[in-house]
Amino acid sequence: MKRFDGPAAETALRMADAVPSGALCLAYIDPYNLEYLSFSIIERLARLPYIDFAVHFSMMDLTRNVDMELDPDRDRFSGANPGWRDRVPTNTAKASLPVWFFEDWRDQIAKLGFSVSHEMPLVKDGQGRALYRLVFFSRHAFPDRIWGDIARDPTRSLFD
């Protein structure tokens, strides 16, 4: 097994280059918070033709801090969603910013040629507060169907 020492943003391209041609891959990205969800990692690994992603997207960090991140002197969320401040509609209410940011991030993922699964389990803490969403995206329908079966809410009706 090959080892890649260093920050993931710096080693992702070397990792992608080491993957055998035609290999089926799953990248599991579990950052501590949105500051460490580097979009460049996703871009670099997206060069692999058969890669799917499962990403912990920190809803708690987003909900608590997105309005403060509008300040250009703060730069914690720019790595996760480059250029997002320039795309925020001027009439967006503060309360709508987390939803807008998450949807915009998904749009940026789609621009890389991926489809984001409709099944995005929301993980909550003991008090019912949203911690993160487990987001799956792929380029092909088959892995998305498998993910849909795995991630579906067990209490969901058979007739939905």
Side-chain angles (χ1 to χ4, degrees), residues 25-31 36-38 41-42 45-46 50-58 102 105 109 114-117 119-121 132-139 143-144 146-148 150-151:
C25 303
L26 174 68
Y28 174 63
I29 301 175
D30 184 16
Y36 300 110
L37 177 59
S38 175
I41 294 170
I42 296 169
L45 294 176
Y50 305 108
I51 188 164
D52 305 321
F53 289 85
V55 176
H56 277 157
F57 189 96
S58 179
F102 185 63
W105 179 79
I109 296 297
F114 291 93
S115 295
V116 178
S117 176
E119 300 295 336
M120 292 179 277
Y132 62 86
R133 283 206 178 275
L134 187 52
V135 183
F136 180 82
F137 45 98
S138 64
R139 289 188 180 107
D144 188 48
I146 293 171
W147 176 256
I150 294 168

Coordinates of all heavy atoms in Angstrom, one line a residue, residues 25-31 36-38 41-42 45-46 50-58 102 105 109 114-117 119-121 132-139 143-144 146-148 150-151:
C25 N -13.6 3.6 -7.8 CA -13.1 4.3 -6.6 C -14.2 4.9 -5.8 O -15.2 5.4 -6.4 CB -12.1 5.4 -6.9 SG -10.7 4.8 -7.9
L26 N -14.1 5.0 -4.5 CA -15.0 5.7 -3.6 C -14.1 6.6 -2.8 O -13.2 6.1 -2.0 CB -15.8 4.8 -2.8 CG -16.7 5.5 -1.7 CD1 -17.8 6.3 -2.4 CD2 -17.3 4.5 -0.8
A27 N -14.3 7.9 -2.8 CA -13.6 8.8 -1.9 C -14.6 9.2 -0.8 O -15.7 9.6 -1.0 CB -13.2 10.1 -2.7
Y28 N -14.1 8.9 0.4 CA -14.9 9.3 1.6 C -14.2 10.4 2.2 O -13.0 10.3 2.7 CB -14.9 8.1 2.6 CG -15.5 8.4 3.9 CD1 -16.9 8.8 4.0 CD2 -14.8 8.3 5.1 CE1 -17.4 9.0 5.2 CE2 -15.4 8.5 6.3 CZ -16.7 8.9 6.4 OH -17.3 9.2 7.6
I29 N -14.8 11.6 2.3 CA -14.3 12.8 2.8 C -15.0 13.2 4.1 O -16.2 13.4 4.1 CB -14.3 13.9 1.8 CG1 -13.6 13.5 0.5 CG2 -13.7 15.2 2.3 CD1 -13.7 14.5 -0.7
D30 N -14.2 13.3 5.2 CA -14.8 13.5 6.5 C -14.0 14.6 7.2 O -13.3 14.4 8.1 CB -14.7 12.2 7.3 CG -15.4 12.4 8.7 OD1 -16.2 13.3 8.9 OD2 -15.2 11.5 9.6
P31 N -14.3 15.9 6.8 CA -13.6 17.0 7.4 C -14.2 17.3 8.8 O -15.3 17.1 9.0 CB -13.8 18.1 6.4 CG -15.1 17.8 5.8 CD -15.2 16.3 5.7
Y36 N -12.2 22.7 6.4 CA -11.4 21.7 5.9 C -12.0 20.8 4.8 O -11.4 19.9 4.4 CB -11.0 20.8 7.1 CG -10.2 21.5 8.2 CD1 -10.8 21.8 9.4 CD2 -9.0 22.0 7.9 CE1 -10.2 22.5 10.4 CE2 -8.3 22.8 8.9 CZ -8.9 23.0 10.1 OH -8.2 23.7 11.0
L37 N -13.1 21.2 4.3 CA -13.7 20.6 3.1 C -13.2 21.3 1.9 O -13.8 22.3 1.4 CB -15.3 20.6 3.2 CG -16.0 20.0 2.0 CD1 -15.6 18.6 1.8 CD2 -17.5 20.2 2.2
S38 N -12.1 20.9 1.4 CA -11.5 21.6 0.3 C -12.0 21.1 -1.0 O -11.9 20.0 -1.4 CB -9.9 21.3 0.3 OG -9.3 21.9 -0.8
I41 N -9.7 19.3 -3.4 CA -9.5 17.9 -3.3 C -10.5 17.1 -4.2 O -10.2 16.2 -4.9 CB -9.7 17.4 -1.8 CG1 -8.6 18.0 -1.0 CG2 -9.8 15.9 -1.7 CD1 -8.8 17.8 0.5
I42 N -11.8 17.6 -4.1 CA -12.8 17.0 -5.0 C -12.5 17.2 -6.5 O -12.6 16.2 -7.2 CB -14.2 17.6 -4.6 CG1 -14.6 17.2 -3.2 CG2 -15.3 17.1 -5.6 CD1 -15.8 18.0 -2.6
L45 N -9.6 14.7 -7.4 CA -10.0 13.3 -7.5 C -11.0 13.1 -8.6 O -11.1 12.0 -9.1 CB -10.5 12.9 -6.1 CG -9.5 12.9 -5.0 CD1 -10.2 12.5 -3.7 CD2 -8.3 11.9 -5.3
A46 N -11.7 14.1 -8.9 CA -12.8 14.0 -10.0 C -12.1 13.7 -11.3 O -12.9 13.4 -12.3 CB -13.6 15.3 -10.0
Y50 N -13.9 6.8 -12.8 CA -14.9 6.0 -12.1 C -14.8 6.2 -10.6 O -14.4 5.3 -9.9 CB -14.6 4.5 -12.5 CG -14.7 4.2 -13.9 CD1 -13.5 3.9 -14.6 CD2 -15.9 4.3 -14.7 CE1 -13.5 3.7 -16.0 CE2 -15.9 4.1 -16.0 CZ -14.7 3.8 -16.7 OH -14.7 3.6 -18.0
I51 N -15.1 7.4 -10.2 CA -15.0 7.7 -8.8 C -16.4 8.3 -8.3 O -17.1 9.0 -9.0 CB -13.9 8.8 -8.5 CG1 -13.7 8.9 -7.0 CG2 -14.1 10.1 -9.2 CD1 -12.4 9.6 -6.5
D52 N -16.7 7.8 -7.2 CA -17.9 8.3 -6.5 C -17.4 8.9 -5.2 O -16.3 8.6 -4.7 CB -18.9 7.2 -6.2 CG -19.3 6.4 -7.4 OD1 -19.5 7.0 -8.5 OD2 -19.4 5.2 -7.3
F53 N -18.2 9.8 -4.6 CA -17.9 10.5 -3.3 C -18.9 10.3 -2.3 O -20.1 10.4 -2.6 CB -17.7 12.0 -3.6 CG -16.5 12.4 -4.4 CD1 -16.5 12.3 -5.8 CD2 -15.3 12.8 -3.8 CE1 -15.4 12.7 -6.5 CE2 -14.2 13.1 -4.5 CZ -14.2 13.1 -5.9
A54 N -18.5 10.2 -1.1 CA -19.4 10.3 0.1 C -18.7 11.3 1.0 O -17.6 11.2 1.4 CB -19.5 8.9 0.8
V55 N -19.5 12.4 1.3 CA -18.9 13.6 2.0 C -19.7 13.9 3.2 O -20.9 14.1 3.1 CB -18.8 14.8 1.0 CG1 -18.3 16.0 1.7 CG2 -17.9 14.5 -0.2
H56 N -19.1 14.1 4.3 CA -19.7 14.6 5.5 C -19.7 16.2 5.3 O -18.6 16.8 5.3 CB -19.0 14.3 6.8 CG -19.3 13.0 7.3 ND1 -18.5 12.3 8.2 CD2 -20.4 12.2 7.2 CE1 -19.0 11.1 8.5 NE2 -20.2 11.0 7.9
F57 N -20.9 16.7 5.2 CA -21.0 18.2 5.0 C -21.5 18.8 6.3 O -22.6 18.5 6.7 CB -21.9 18.5 3.8 CG -21.9 19.9 3.4 CD1 -21.2 20.3 2.4 CD2 -22.7 20.8 4.1 CE1 -21.2 21.7 2.0 CE2 -22.7 22.2 3.7 CZ -21.9 22.6 2.7
S58 N -20.7 19.6 6.9 CA -21.0 20.1 8.3 C -22.1 21.1 8.2 O -21.9 22.3 8.0 CB -19.8 20.7 8.9 OG -20.1 21.2 10.2
F102 N -25.6 25.6 0.7 CA -25.6 24.1 0.4 C -26.0 23.8 -1.0 O -25.4 23.0 -1.7 CB -26.4 23.4 1.4 CG -26.4 21.9 1.3 CD1 -25.2 21.2 1.6 CD2 -27.5 21.2 1.0 CE1 -25.2 19.9 1.5 CE2 -27.5 19.8 0.9 CZ -26.3 19.2 1.1
W105 N -23.2 24.8 -3.4 CA -22.1 23.8 -3.3 C -22.5 22.6 -4.2 O -21.7 22.1 -5.0 CB -21.9 23.4 -1.9 CG -20.8 22.4 -1.7 CD1 -19.4 22.6 -1.7 CD2 -21.0 21.0 -1.5 NE1 -18.8 21.4 -1.6 CE2 -19.7 20.4 -1.4 CE3 -22.1 20.2 -1.4 CZ2 -19.5 19.0 -1.2 CZ3 -21.9 18.8 -1.1 CH2 -20.6 18.3 -1.0
I109 N -20.7 21.0 -7.6 CA -20.4 19.6 -7.7 C -20.9 19.1 -9.1 O -20.3 18.4 -9.8 CB -21.0 18.8 -6.6 CG1 -20.3 19.1 -5.2 CG2 -20.9 17.3 -6.8 CD1 -18.8 18.8 -5.1
F114 N -21.0 15.5 -11.9 CA -21.6 14.5 -10.9 C -23.1 14.8 -10.7 O -23.5 16.0 -10.8 CB -20.9 14.6 -9.6 CG -19.5 14.1 -9.7 CD1 -18.4 15.0 -9.9 CD2 -19.2 12.8 -9.5 CE1 -17.1 14.5 -10.0 CE2 -17.9 12.3 -9.6 CZ -16.9 13.2 -9.8
S115 N -23.8 13.8 -10.3 CA -25.2 13.9 -9.9 C -25.2 13.7 -8.4 O -24.6 12.7 -7.9 CB -26.1 12.9 -10.5 OG -26.2 13.1 -11.9
V116 N -25.8 14.6 -7.7 CA -25.9 14.5 -6.2 C -27.1 13.7 -5.9 O -28.2 14.0 -6.4 CB -25.9 15.9 -5.5 CG1 -26.0 15.8 -4.0 CG2 -24.6 16.7 -5.9
S117 N -27.0 12.7 -5.1 CA -28.1 11.9 -4.7 C -29.2 12.6 -3.9 O -28.9 13.6 -3.2 CB -27.6 10.7 -3.8 OG -28.7 9.9 -3.3
E119 N -30.9 11.2 -1.7 CA -30.8 10.7 -0.3 C -29.6 11.3 0.3 O -28.4 11.0 0.0 CB -30.7 9.2 -0.4 CG -31.9 8.5 -1.0 CD -33.2 8.7 -0.2 OE1 -33.1 8.9 1.0 OE2 -34.2 8.5 -0.9
M120 N -29.8 12.2 1.3 CA -28.7 12.8 2.0 C -29.0 12.8 3.5 O -29.6 13.7 4.1 CB -28.5 14.3 1.6 CG -28.0 14.4 0.2 SD -27.8 16.2 -0.3 CE -29.5 16.5 -0.8
P121 N -28.7 11.6 4.2 CA -29.1 11.5 5.6 C -28.5 12.6 6.4 O -27.4 13.1 6.3 CB -28.4 10.2 6.0 CG -28.2 9.4 4.7 CD -28.0 10.5 3.7
Y132 N -24.4 17.1 10.5 CA -23.9 17.1 9.1 C -24.9 16.3 8.3 O -25.7 15.5 8.8 CB -22.5 16.5 9.1 CG -22.3 15.1 9.5 CD1 -22.6 14.0 8.7 CD2 -21.9 14.8 10.8 CE1 -22.4 12.7 9.2 CE2 -21.8 13.5 11.3 CZ -22.1 12.5 10.4 OH -21.9 11.2 10.9
R133 N -24.7 16.4 7.0 CA -25.4 15.6 6.0 C -24.3 14.7 5.4 O -23.2 15.2 5.1 CB -26.0 16.5 4.9 CG -27.3 17.1 5.3 CD -28.2 17.4 4.1 NE -29.4 18.0 4.6 CZ -30.5 17.3 5.0 NH1 -30.5 16.0 5.0 NH2 -31.6 17.9 5.4
L134 N -24.7 13.5 5.1 CA -23.8 12.6 4.4 C -24.3 12.6 2.9 O -25.3 12.2 2.6 CB -23.9 11.2 4.9 CG -22.9 10.2 4.4 CD1 -21.5 10.7 4.4 CD2 -23.1 8.8 5.1
V135 N -23.5 13.3 2.1 CA -23.8 13.6 0.7 C -23.1 12.6 -0.2 O -21.8 12.5 -0.1 CB -23.4 15.1 0.4 CG1 -23.8 15.4 -1.1 CG2 -24.1 16.0 1.3
F136 N -23.8 12.0 -1.1 CA -23.2 11.1 -2.0 C -23.4 11.6 -3.4 O -24.5 12.1 -3.8 CB -23.9 9.7 -2.0 CG -23.3 8.7 -2.9 CD1 -22.2 8.0 -2.6 CD2 -24.0 8.5 -4.1 CE1 -21.7 7.0 -3.5 CE2 -23.4 7.5 -5.0 CZ -22.3 6.8 -4.7
F137 N -22.3 11.6 -4.2 CA -22.5 12.0 -5.6 C -21.6 11.1 -6.5 O -20.6 10.6 -6.1 CB -22.2 13.5 -5.9 CG -21.0 14.1 -5.2 CD1 -19.8 14.2 -5.9 CD2 -21.0 14.5 -3.9 CE1 -18.7 14.8 -5.3 CE2 -19.9 15.1 -3.3 CZ -18.7 15.2 -4.0
S138 N -22.1 10.9 -7.7 CA -21.5 10.0 -8.7 C -21.8 10.5 -10.1 O -22.7 11.4 -10.3 CB -22.0 8.6 -8.5 OG -23.4 8.5 -8.8
R139 N -21.1 9.9 -11.1 CA -21.4 10.2 -12.5 C -22.3 9.2 -13.1 O -22.8 9.4 -14.3 CB -20.1 10.2 -13.3 CG -19.2 11.4 -12.9 CD -18.0 11.4 -13.9 NE -17.1 12.5 -13.6 CZ -15.9 12.3 -13.0 NH1 -15.5 11.2 -12.7 NH2 -15.2 13.4 -12.8
P143 N -24.4 3.4 -9.1 CA -24.0 3.7 -7.7 C -25.0 4.5 -6.9 O -25.2 4.3 -5.7 CB -22.6 4.4 -7.8 CG -22.3 4.5 -9.2 CD -23.4 3.9 -10.0
D144 N -25.6 5.4 -7.6 CA -26.6 6.3 -7.0 C -27.8 5.4 -6.5 O -28.4 5.7 -5.5 CB -27.1 7.4 -7.9 CG -28.0 8.4 -7.2 OD1 -27.6 8.8 -6.1 OD2 -29.1 8.7 -7.8
I146 N -27.7 2.2 -5.7 CA -27.2 1.5 -4.5 C -27.3 2.4 -3.3 O -27.8 2.0 -2.2 CB -25.8 0.9 -4.7 CG1 -25.9 -0.1 -5.8 CG2 -25.3 0.4 -3.4 CD1 -24.5 -0.6 -6.3
W147 N -26.7 3.6 -3.4 CA -26.7 4.6 -2.3 C -28.1 4.9 -1.9 O -28.4 4.9 -0.7 CB -26.0 5.8 -2.7 CG -26.0 6.9 -1.6 CD1 -26.8 8.0 -1.6 CD2 -25.3 6.9 -0.4 NE1 -26.6 8.7 -0.4 CE2 -25.7 8.0 0.3 CE3 -24.4 6.0 0.2 CZ2 -25.2 8.3 1.6 CZ3 -23.8 6.3 1.4 CH2 -24.2 7.4 2.1
G148 N -29.0 5.1 -2.8 CA -30.4 5.4 -2.5 C -31.0 4.3 -1.6 O -31.8 4.5 -0.7
I150 N -29.3 2.2 0.4 CA -28.6 2.2 1.7 C -29.1 3.4 2.6 O -29.3 3.2 3.8 CB -27.1 2.3 1.5 CG1 -26.6 1.0 0.8 CG2 -26.4 2.5 2.8 CD1 -25.2 1.0 0.3
A151 N -29.2 4.5 2.0 CA -29.3 5.8 2.8 C -30.8 6.1 3.0 O -31.1 7.1 3.7 CB -28.7 6.9 2.0

